[in-house]
């Protein structure tokens, strides 16, 4: 008899005790088992325990499903696929034509036009995720599994591309008051919810073999610079970091200016690559692997 089976034979499980306790129907919450008391677990003093649980749950479940390595694909939640972006642009344009003197409506048309232009990154992320997942499946399906932030827009596109070729795909969703609901393309058994951004970011990188950042907002920038900082300082091993969308990234961030000002070193400019298509991104990833 193994040590594990001996313990299973001797000790009553936590689940069995919790069930027994519930059957006794004691009214006061003090009687509940601590680990089975939701009100107690949500107390401010239990923050450290909740942090530990948010680390353990996704980690253990990914292990159980054989996830050995991942490819992280970031991007804006507000960049939908082209048909949706076209509908929103036409609606904004129609509203402006009905009231052309309205400055706010004019601004909305410009923004909708940019969102329509940026919808091409939905397609690029979808294509890249499909290509990465096909490679993953050729290696057995446990390596290079696509993981996203789990929400809509470019995140949805990447999960979608992976699911369409029959691969598993992970979503690390975070509970927010708007915008962030798990998209329908995430493998249900690998769809995780987070309260803490910090734990979510640790999970993004724990198994990562590459990171691809498509155009996005604060969240995308946060994840990108967190990763670049960790690689720059040697806190994590170097992985390929690819910025997809030359016009967007070169206008948004002047990396050469950072170097010229002495804020970063010349070698730091080699920590990432900037490309314009899924095919270019794939070539960099495949060569690195």
């Amino acid at each position: 008899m193994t040590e594990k089976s001996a313990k299973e034979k001797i000790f009553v499980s936590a689940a069995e005790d919790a069930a027994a306790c519930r059957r006794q129907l004691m009214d006061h919450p003090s009687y509940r088992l601590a680990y089975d008391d939701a009100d107690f677990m949500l107390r401010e003093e239990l923050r450290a325990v909740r942090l530990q649980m948010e680390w353990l749950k996704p980690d253990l479940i990914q292990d159980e499903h054989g996830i050995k390595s991942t490819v992280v694909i970031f991007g804006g939640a507000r960049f939908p696929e082209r048909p949706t972006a076209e509908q929103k642009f036409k609606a904004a344009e129609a509203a402006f034509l009905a009231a052309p003197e309205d400055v706010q409506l004019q601004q909305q048309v410009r923004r909708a036009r940019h969102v329509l232009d940026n919808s091409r990154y939905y397609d690029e992320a979808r294509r890249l995720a499909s290509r990465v997942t096909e490679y993953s499946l050729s290696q057995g399906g446990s390596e290079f599994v696509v993981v996203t932030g789990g929400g809509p827009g470019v995140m949805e596109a990447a999960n979608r591309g992976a699911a369409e070729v029959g691969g598993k795909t992970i979503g690390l969703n975070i509970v927010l008051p708007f915008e962030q609901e798990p998209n329908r393309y995430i493998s249900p058994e690998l769809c995780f919810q987070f309260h803490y951004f910090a734990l979510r970011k640790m999970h993004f990188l724990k198994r990562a073999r590459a990171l691809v950042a498509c155009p996005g907002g604060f969240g995308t920038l946060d994840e990108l610079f967190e990763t670049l900082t960790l690689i720059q300082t040697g806190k994590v091993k170097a992985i390929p970091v690819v910025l997809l969308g030359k016009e967007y990234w070169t206008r948004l961030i002047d990396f050469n200016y950072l170097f010229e000002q002495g804020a970063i070193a010349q070698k730091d400019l080699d920590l990432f690559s900037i490309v314009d298509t899924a095919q270019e991104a794939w070539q960099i990833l495949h060569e690195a692997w």
Side-chain angles (χ1 to χ4, degrees):
M1 184 181 294
T2 65
E3 181 181 353
K4 181 179 179 181
S5 62
K7 288 180 179 178
E8 288 175 345
K9 184 177 178 64
I10 294 171
F11 294 107
V12 174
S13 73
E16 290 172 322
D17 268 357
C21 191
R22 291 187 206 114
R23 286 195 298 270
Q24 291 168 5
L25 300 177
M26 298 292 285
D27 291 332
H28 201 280
S30 65
Y31 185 73
R32 300 172 193 156
L33 286 164
Y35 58 81
D36 198 37
D37 185 340
D39 293 332
F40 177 70
M41 291 298 297
L42 294 174
R43 287 175 57 161
E44 184 67 22
E45 297 88 346
L46 271 288
R47 183 185 300 273
V49 176
R50 293 194 300 274
L51 284 163
Q52 184 179 27
M53 291 172 71
E54 281 208 355
W55 172 256
L56 284 171
K57 181 179 177 180
D59 194 42
L60 291 173
I61 292 175
Q62 287 181 79
D63 279 346
E64 289 167 1
H65 286 278
I67 307 300
K68 295 180 180 177
S69 68
T70 59
V71 177
V72 185
I73 300 181
F74 292 137
R78 303 182 189 192
F79 298 151
E81 60 182 325
R82 188 170 185 84
T84 301
E86 284 178 341
Q87 288 176 2
K88 291 183 177 180
F89 173 71
K90 289 176 181 177
E93 193 175 43
F96 173 65
L97 290 173
E101 72 288 349
D102 192 316
V103 176
Q104 279 193 328
L105 290 177
Q106 187 178 13
Q107 291 175 340
Q108 288 175 12
V109 171
R110 284 201 297 268
R111 283 174 54 85
R113 175 77 253 182
H114 288 310
V115 170
L116 178 57
D117 292 340
N118 287 324
S119 68
R120 84 171 184 90
Y121 297 110
Y122 185 104
D123 296 327
E124 296 292 347
R126 185 176 172 184
R127 278 192 287 268
L128 179 60
S130 292
R131 187 67 189 87
V132 168
T133 304
E134 286 171 345
Y135 181 72
S136 170
L137 292 171
S138 74
Q139 305 295 307
S142 62
E143 304 276 4
F144 310 107
V145 178
V146 168
V147 57
T148 79
V154 175
M155 295 176 281
E156 174 190 290
N159 291 128
R160 182 177 181 177
E164 285 173 336
V165 296
K168 293 180 179 179
T169 183
I170 306 165
L172 304 184
N173 196 64
I174 189 153
V175 180
L176 298 176
F178 61 94
E179 251 184 17
Q180 188 76 12
E181 292 183 5
N183 67 69
R184 60 195 176 98
Y185 299 102
I186 304 166
S187 301
E189 70 277 15
L190 297 171
C191 184
F192 303 105
Q193 288 274 50
F194 287 84
H195 174 67
Y196 298 106
F197 270 106
L199 269 296
R200 181 177 180 244
K201 287 195 280 190
M202 290 178 71
H203 276 291
F204 272 127
L205 288 181
K206 181 182 179 185
R207 293 171 172 82
R209 293 287 299 275
L211 181 148
V212 178
C214 298
F218 288 163
T220 301
L221 292 170
D222 179 38
E223 304 288 359
L224 171 63
F225 280 105
E226 172 98 4
T227 302
L228 290 176
T229 300
L230 291 171
I231 296 172
Q232 180 200 48
T233 56
K235 287 293 186 179
V236 299
K237 293 180 180 178
I239 58 173
V241 176
V242 181
L243 310 187
L244 201 165
K246 284 183 181 179
E247 182 180 358
Y248 190 93
W249 289 111
T250 54
R251 182 171 178 184
L252 182 66
I253 307 167
D254 191 340
F255 290 103
N256 287 319
Y257 182 77
L258 286 173
F259 167 66
E260 291 166 3
Q261 293 299 307
I264 61 174
Q266 177 73 55
K267 65 180 181 179
D268 295 331
L269 297 174
D270 298 327
L271 297 178
F272 58 91
S273 304
I274 302 179
V275 302
D276 215 30
T277 66
Q279 180 58 30
E280 292 175 291
W282 167 247
Q283 287 173 348
I284 290 173
L285 299 183
H286 192 242
E287 288 173 9
W289 297 334

